[in-house]
Amino acid sequence: MKQSKNQTYQGVQVFAPATVSNMGSGFDIIGFPIEGAGDTITAYRNTTPDVRIVQVTGYSDIPTDPGKNVASHAVRKMLESLDSHQGFDLEIHKSVMPGSGLGSSASSSAAAVVAVNELLGRPYTKRELVNFAMEGEALVSGGKHADNVAPAILGGIVLVRSYNPLDIVNIPPPESMWTMVFHPQIEIRTDLGRSVIMDRIALKDAVKQWGNVGGLIAGLYTSNYDLIGDSMEDLVAEPYRAELIPGYQEMKKVALSNGAKGFTISGSGPAFFAICDSREMAEQVKEVVSREYEKHQIDFLTYISRVDRSGTVVLERFHVEG
Ligand code: HSE
């Protein structure tokens, strides 16, 4: 096992933000965290060799069996890699509903691995921790994707250029970029959301998609919102997943005709989001979409946010000895 310079801490509390993933054409590869929503995990050393989930609050309808919970699963993978037999107790507070499309499971996995890494004296860099948090995603979604866990841990807009080996690239968010995230309060399980997508696409569609990914990155670097919006067009996931979200196509039209620069589904939905070039525009889009959505009689939550730049952060450390 590697170093242990922080082992005097018995406990630590960390926060990992919720994330928008699949930024349009960036299916499984581009995501960013938002401000004001996410999971808080408090981790303590225990005297057993195992990881236990001792408390879940907020959206508490998640497994507490350590083999089925994403947070404990990710931590176990990390401890295995360190050949460590130290056990930990995890208290999880979830502020985002599971099955939201906002990386609820990713926030838990990210927070858990960052917390335990902290208690072990930071044997891993934040980038290395993405590998373990991804194991949590594989447990619940059937796919080992990092477009939620990488931005949740690192902050900023993140491009997963390669999975094998994992290569993560930070993309600077345009200064004036705001997002309006709209979350209908229904659940779409990520494994269902992944099962409706075709596993092959036509070459002409692939050509269009990678043209769009290139355009999206260029647009983000140059704050060219027309290019960002056009390039968010997605031929891989959105056409299939849109059908699972009541009112989606209609809300897309409403948002785009009221000033949104780009609009698509976050993760596997039901949350969707608009890219806007100012806070005022994001507020305006929120107002019109909220008004139109009322006819569906489905409760919803909205978030107006910039791209969170911090990723997972340590909030507090407990019980420092000597
Ligand atoms: N990229 C993943 C997917 C995110 O679209 O399935 C899941 O939240």
Side-chain angles (χ1 to χ4, degrees):
M1 157 162 191
K2 293 196 218 169
Q3 58 167 345
S4 56
K5 63 177 179 285
N6 278 0
Q7 281 194 351
T8 47
Y9 295 115
Q10 293 301 306
V12 66
Q13 186 173 65
V14 309
F15 174 79
T19 39
V20 162
S21 56
N22 298 342
M23 191 173 177
S25 48
F27 174 71
D28 268 1
I29 60 166
I30 303 178
F32 60 84
I34 59 171
E35 296 166 335
D39 283 11
T40 304
I41 289 193
T42 311
Y44 295 96
R45 287 165 203 287
N46 66 30
T47 51
T48 80
D50 206 0
V51 185
R52 306 183 298 204
I53 307 296
V54 295
Q55 189 182 81
V56 183
T57 54
Y59 291 97
S60 55
D61 192 17
I62 57 166
T64 50
D65 174 344
K68 294 186 181 152
N69 180 286
V70 292
S72 40
H73 180 73
V75 169
R76 278 179 168 179
K77 291 287 179 189
M78 180 182 158
L79 295 173
E80 267 169 43
S81 141
L82 289 166
D83 199 21
S84 166
H85 300 284
Q86 172 67 56
F88 293 91
D89 287 348
L90 304 180
E91 297 173 2
I92 305 175
H93 179 74
K94 298 192 73 62
S95 79
V96 176
M97 185 198 266
S100 60
L102 294 173
S104 179
S105 57
S107 300
S108 288
S109 304
V113 296
V114 170
V116 168
N117 191 53
E118 194 68 21
L119 290 174
L120 291 172
R122 293 192 212 127
Y124 291 111
T125 63
K126 272 187 151 188
R127 270 172 189 262
E128 288 170 331
L129 290 176
V130 172
N131 288 292
F132 304 114
M134 244 177 10
E135 298 283 354
E137 296 293 72
L139 183 72
V140 283
S141 72
K144 218 176 183 182
H145 52 87
D147 54 332
N148 291 109
V149 288
I153 291 177
L154 300 170
I157 300 178
V158 169
L159 163 70
V160 186
R161 189 202 60 83
S162 157
Y163 277 93
N164 192 15
L166 189 63
D167 184 16
I168 292 165
V169 181
N170 294 93
I171 309 294
E175 265 311 302
S176 56
M177 184 176 126
W178 284 76
T179 187
M180 189 285 293
V181 178
F182 193 95
H183 178 198
Q185 298 291 285
I186 55 174
E187 180 184 354
I188 297 180
R189 289 177 53 108
T190 308
D191 50 1
L192 170 73
R194 291 184 83 82
S195 72
V196 299
I197 297 171
M198 303 294 121
D199 56 6
R200 286 167 189 263
I201 61 169
L203 182 60
K204 68 175 179 25
D205 291 339
V207 170
K208 190 158 194 193
Q209 189 86 3
W210 60 57
N212 278 337
V213 173
L216 179 53
I217 300 299
L220 290 168
Y221 265 96
T222 55
S223 301
N224 180 337
Y225 286 96
D226 290 335
L227 184 56
I228 292 170
D230 290 347
S231 304
M232 280 172 60
E233 179 193 11
D234 170 39
L235 285 76
V236 173
E238 191 206 33
Y240 307 101
R241 290 176 168 174
E243 293 178 18
L244 304 175
I245 305 171
Y248 174 74
Q249 296 293 9
E250 193 191 342
M251 295 311 123
K252 182 170 182 171
K253 280 199 197 92
V254 167
L256 291 174
S257 59
N258 279 279
K261 299 296 182 184
F263 187 98
T264 195
I265 300 167
S266 178
S268 55
F272 44 81
F273 67 103
I275 294 296
C276 300
D277 60 3
S278 67
R279 179 178 191 130
E280 293 67 36
M281 186 54 73
E283 294 282 1
Q284 180 179 314
V285 171
K286 181 185 100 172
E287 291 309 317
V288 287
V289 172
S290 301
R291 207 162 45 235
E292 289 295 324
Y293 207 75
E294 271 166 18
K295 70 170 77 119
H296 291 283
Q297 300 192 325
I298 296 172
D299 289 342
F300 56 82
L301 291 174
T302 57
Y303 304 90
I304 299 287
S305 175
R306 299 186 77 211
V307 174
D308 163 82
R309 266 71 164 176
S310 308
T312 303
V313 289
V314 175
L315 301 177
E316 213 172 327
R317 295 177 174 83
F318 307 107
H319 306 311
V320 183
E321 290 169 354

